[in-house]
């Protein structure tokens, strides 16, 4: 039997640059359990598969080998970022210097890091503006 689930779990873990120990902690598993899942010696229950899919921002169908398209169609990182820009009156910010194809590959956590960075930049600019008015 081909171990698609195990291979894809390992691939995603490595893509996120996680050790087995770190990934196991994230998912509330032991190293032994995760190792058995990745090697195909054991199969996770549906709830754990859903946690893997959510964290790695892929579909459960992809993890289970039902499709070879890893992206979770319900999440569009560019739409998420666009909505953030609108919500924060940053629509005029030119993102042309970013590689759009690379941005399309970002997951929710990575987009959140971008949002957090934008928040920091805006807060710093506001602080400098207030300081210059004194």
């Amino acid at each position: 039997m081909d171990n698609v689930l195990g291979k894809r779990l390992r691939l995603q873990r490595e893509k996120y640059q996680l050790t087995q120990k770190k990934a196991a902690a994230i998912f509330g598993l032991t190293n032994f359990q995760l190792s058995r899942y990745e090697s195909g010696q054991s199969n996770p229950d549906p709830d754990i598969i859903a946690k893997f899919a959510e964290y790695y921002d892929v579909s459960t169908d992809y993890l289970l080998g039902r499709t070879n398209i890893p992206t979770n169609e319900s999440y569009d990182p560019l739409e998420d970022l666009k909505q953030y820009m609108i919500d924060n009156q940053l629509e005029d910010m030119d993102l042309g210097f970013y590689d759009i194809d690379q941005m399309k590959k970002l997951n929710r956590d990575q987009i959140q890091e971008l949002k957090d960075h934008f928040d920091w930049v805006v807060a710093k600019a506001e602080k400098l503006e207030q300081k210059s008015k004194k």
Side-chain angles (χ1 to χ4, degrees), residues 24-110:
I26 289 168
F27 298 112
L29 304 169
T30 65
N31 281 8
F32 182 71
Q33 286 172 303
L34 185 57
S35 175
R36 289 181 52 85
Y37 296 158
E38 288 185 2
S39 68
Q41 295 174 340
S42 180
N43 288 317
D45 67 43
D47 290 338
I48 296 295
I49 294 172
K51 285 182 184 180
F52 287 135
E54 183 177 343
Y55 184 85
Y56 294 132
D57 197 32
V58 296
S59 68
T60 54
D61 282 345
Y62 171 75
L63 290 178
L64 295 170
R66 294 181 183 143
T67 180
N68 289 324
I69 301 169
T71 56
N72 188 347
E73 296 301 324
S74 66
Y75 179 71
D76 181 345
L78 294 180
E79 277 302 313
D80 186 358
L81 196 53
K82 178 181 171 186
Q83 189 59 51
Y84 167 83
M85 302 298 266
I86 291 168
D87 293 346
N88 291 281
Q89 294 86 38
L90 299 172
E91 304 98 315
D92 295 335
M93 184 183 281
D94 181 15
L95 297 178
F97 57 91
Y98 285 101
D99 183 342
I100 298 298
D101 289 330
Q102 289 298 322
M103 289 185 78
K104 288 178 184 177
K105 296 176 186 175
L106 298 178
N107 63 38
R108 282 182 176 88
D109 290 338
Q110 293 164 323

